[in-house]
Amino acid sequence: MFFERHHGGERTVLVQIQFSSEKRDLSLHEFEELVTSAGGQLVATVTGSRTAPNARTFVGEGKLQEILDARREHEAEVVIFNHVLSPSQERNLEQALSCRVLARTGLILDIFAQRARTHEGKLQVELAQLTHLSTRLIRGWTHLERQKGGIGLRGPGETQLETDRRLLRARIRSIQARLERVRNQREQSRRARRRAELPVLSLVGYTNAGKSTLFNRVTTSEVYAADQLFATLDPTLARVDIEHLGPVLFADTVGFISDLPTTLIEAFKATLEETAEASLLLHVVDVSASNRDELMLDVETVLSEIGADTLPQLLVFNKLDLREQPPRIVRNESGVATAVYISAFTGEGLDLLFEAIRERLSVALFDEEITLNPQRAKLRAALYEMGAVCTEQWEPDGSSRLHVRLPLSDWRRLNP
């Protein structure tokens, strides 16, 4: 990656301004968690309120002086705004504060850059960063408007800034082409899963809601899970055999957040398409969050942006251990399971979660008693291998009477 990175451990001043036009209060706690996740060392926080942002420096002169005093007092190396700043505002603030200035978008991009593990994840993050950087190339440089010199380069030619922009565009096109190949590979995998008729359950939700903990608990996998924002970036798929239902695929995905940068949504399209193609969305919600309704709305907004808002959804209220409430299933007037209260950390309520999943996916379920003669031993073995046999009784003539429950598509495939 040929662009600057915000390295962790730097002394950081946070700035958060509440504007009267905003419909919701900004979460200072979440902002602090974001900075901590990026490795910043919090030394001061400056808050305030305004009717509208200042076009030149985002904040007024008095607040700008307050930020400058805090930076000097604590010898901070970077000032981070919990807002979206225009390129010119970033440049003017850096000039006035004599230090590096980051907006919320740049902060989230930096966390993603630190968390990416796979080659695909790194490509997606680099694409998002380069797209963001392309509007901010002039920052911090003094030579960019000069023309290049040297033998064969004198006279009318392109400036250094134009050269850098051209190289940037070429790199973006290269990454987009490679990610398009990844997208095609994912589409082939999805087609294979559709042919096998395996239901896909996609875990979605606000960052740090407990999706990876639930994924590990259900699939006995060892996906990285931590009490921090954006612990998971790279999607993971795992096959799980659910009793009386059969095999399904669980997909752990990147967490959402309010004001998720559009450059990230665009860059992570190949990954987010796993969500848009799911058979059922498991919307994991932190039941202990005081503003959980707002967080759920943020998730719905992102789902709408990626075209997944029309998919069937089951709410999974997680972290019940923090509330000391019993697990339960919530149903609508028609008796359909709409929400489940569980604790992924302790495993409480997982049986109810599987029950709700079975109900939501078992629309086309073969649930019958069948009798197999000894010549059908191959079919009997296949049913046992799929975990579809509930009970079995042997008849005097050597045949067996089985109560089987499995997806209708699987039954038709085994017994055409």
Side-chain angles (χ1 to χ4, degrees):
M1 299 184 187
F2 64 146
F3 48 88
E4 62 186 76
R5 278 279 311 280
H6 159 57
H7 299 285
E10 292 170 302
R11 300 168 68 82
T12 305
V13 174
L14 312 187
V15 180
Q16 178 169 291
I17 308 297
Q18 188 70 44
F19 294 100
S20 55
S21 58
E22 289 177 333
K23 297 178 181 178
R24 57 186 284 185
D25 293 335
L26 298 173
S27 171
L28 184 59
H29 175 67
E30 179 184 273
F31 183 33
E32 291 171 347
E33 280 193 326
L34 279 171
V35 176
T36 303
S37 295
Q41 180 186 350
L42 310 182
V43 294
T45 301
V46 178
T47 59
S49 59
R50 281 180 65 90
T51 54
N54 181 289
R56 187 176 179 278
T57 57
F58 193 79
V59 294
E61 291 184 12
K63 191 60 65 177
L64 185 62
Q65 185 61 47
E66 185 181 342
I67 298 169
L68 179 59
D69 292 341
R71 188 200 71 74
R72 286 173 175 168
E73 179 185 351
H74 299 281
E75 298 179 350
E77 300 153 287
V78 59
V79 174
I80 304 180
F81 283 71
N82 192 21
H83 305 276
V84 177
L85 300 177
S86 69
S88 62
Q89 286 172 336
E90 279 191 20
R91 288 197 299 272
N92 294 333
L93 285 167
E94 287 187 341
Q95 190 174 21
L97 299 173
S98 303
C99 73
R100 192 149 34 85
V101 172
L102 270 183
R104 179 184 175 89
T105 301
L107 176 63
I108 294 175
L109 288 173
D110 184 81
I111 296 172
F112 272 54
Q114 294 181 43
R115 298 280 191 273
R117 295 288 179 269
T118 65
H119 177 63
E120 178 196 349
K122 291 175 181 177
L123 279 178
Q124 291 175 127
V125 172
E126 184 178 0
L127 175 60
Q129 285 203 325
L130 289 175
T131 305
H132 178 68
L133 183 69
S134 61
T135 60
R136 289 159 166 78
L137 257 186
I138 200 169
R139 183 181 66 182
W141 295 73
T142 57
H143 67 284
L144 292 177
E145 292 298 340
R146 297 196 211 124
Q147 288 186 342
K148 295 184 297 184
I151 298 173
L153 295 175
R154 294 187 180 90
E158 62 181 4
T159 64
Q160 184 65 47
L161 179 60
E162 290 166 342
T163 303
D164 287 358
R165 281 180 175 153
R166 178 168 50 80
L167 293 173
L168 207 61
R169 286 194 296 270
R171 177 63 177 164
I172 288 174
R173 283 195 298 270
S174 171
I175 295 175
Q176 286 173 335
R178 290 158 77 179
L179 286 177
E180 186 59 36
R181 289 195 291 272
V182 171
R183 190 174 299 174
N184 292 335
Q185 290 166 2
R186 286 189 181 277
E187 179 55 35
Q188 289 174 2
S189 299
R190 280 194 292 269
R191 280 200 295 267
R193 291 199 295 270
R194 282 196 289 268
R195 282 195 296 271
E197 299 200 28
L198 279 180
V200 178
L201 307 177
S202 185
L203 296 170
V204 299
Y206 209 79
T207 180
N208 205 27
K211 296 182 296 300
S212 295
T213 303
L214 177 58
F215 183 83
N216 290 340
R217 175 71 68 174
V218 169
T219 65
T220 63
S221 301
E222 294 184 357
V223 169
Y224 178 65
D227 184 19
Q228 60 184 23
L229 302 183
F230 300 117
T232 302
L233 266 197
D234 304 304
T236 308
L237 291 169
R239 175 173 165 150
V240 177
D241 287 308
I242 297 181
E243 190 178 6
H244 306 319
L245 178 63
V248 299
L249 279 176
F250 275 84
D252 188 21
T253 60
V254 61
F256 301 153
I257 196 169
S258 61
D259 302 320
L260 190 67
T262 53
T263 50
L264 272 180
I265 295 176
E266 186 64 30
F268 275 73
K269 264 189 176 175
T271 298
L272 294 173
E273 280 173 1
E274 294 289 352
T275 298
E277 296 285 335
S279 310
L280 178 66
L281 296 181
L282 300 182
H283 182 171
V284 184
V285 181
D286 181 355
V287 74
S288 65
S290 58
N291 60 335
R292 72 182 189 189
D293 291 339
E294 291 181 355
L295 305 186
M296 290 167 66
L297 187 60
D298 289 329
V299 172
E300 294 293 344
T301 301
V302 178
L303 288 175
S304 177
E305 289 181 24
I306 63 175
D309 52 327
T310 58
L311 296 177
Q313 190 176 126
L314 177 66
L315 288 172
V316 182
F317 289 103
N318 188 28
K319 303 189 181 182
L320 206 59
D321 51 295
L322 301 179
R323 282 292 187 92
E324 298 182 355
Q325 294 178 0
R328 66 186 189 277
I329 295 180
V330 177
R331 304 178 188 277
N332 61 17
E333 309 80 42
S334 305
V336 178
T338 56
V340 187
Y341 285 77
I342 67 160
S343 170
F345 181 71
T346 64
E348 281 186 290
L350 284 190
D351 54 337
L352 298 178
L353 174 61
F354 287 144
E355 180 183 333
I357 290 172
R358 275 194 297 269
E359 289 181 18
R360 297 295 297 268
L361 292 180
S362 62
V363 178
L365 195 67
F366 182 81
D367 187 358
E368 302 284 347
E369 275 198 357
I370 61 172
T371 301
L372 300 179
N373 59 37
Q375 288 74 32
R376 306 297 303 277
K378 189 175 180 181
L379 174 59
R380 177 179 173 273
L383 290 169
Y384 265 101
E385 187 178 349
M386 293 178 64
V389 179
C390 301
T391 60
E392 180 179 21
Q393 288 182 327
W394 289 96
E395 300 295 334
D397 62 353
S399 62
S400 60
R401 192 166 69 225
L402 298 91
H403 177 199
V404 297
R405 185 186 289 123
L406 72 165
L408 185 59
S409 56
D410 285 346
W411 170 251
R412 287 171 176 163
R413 179 169 52 84
L414 292 173
N415 190 47

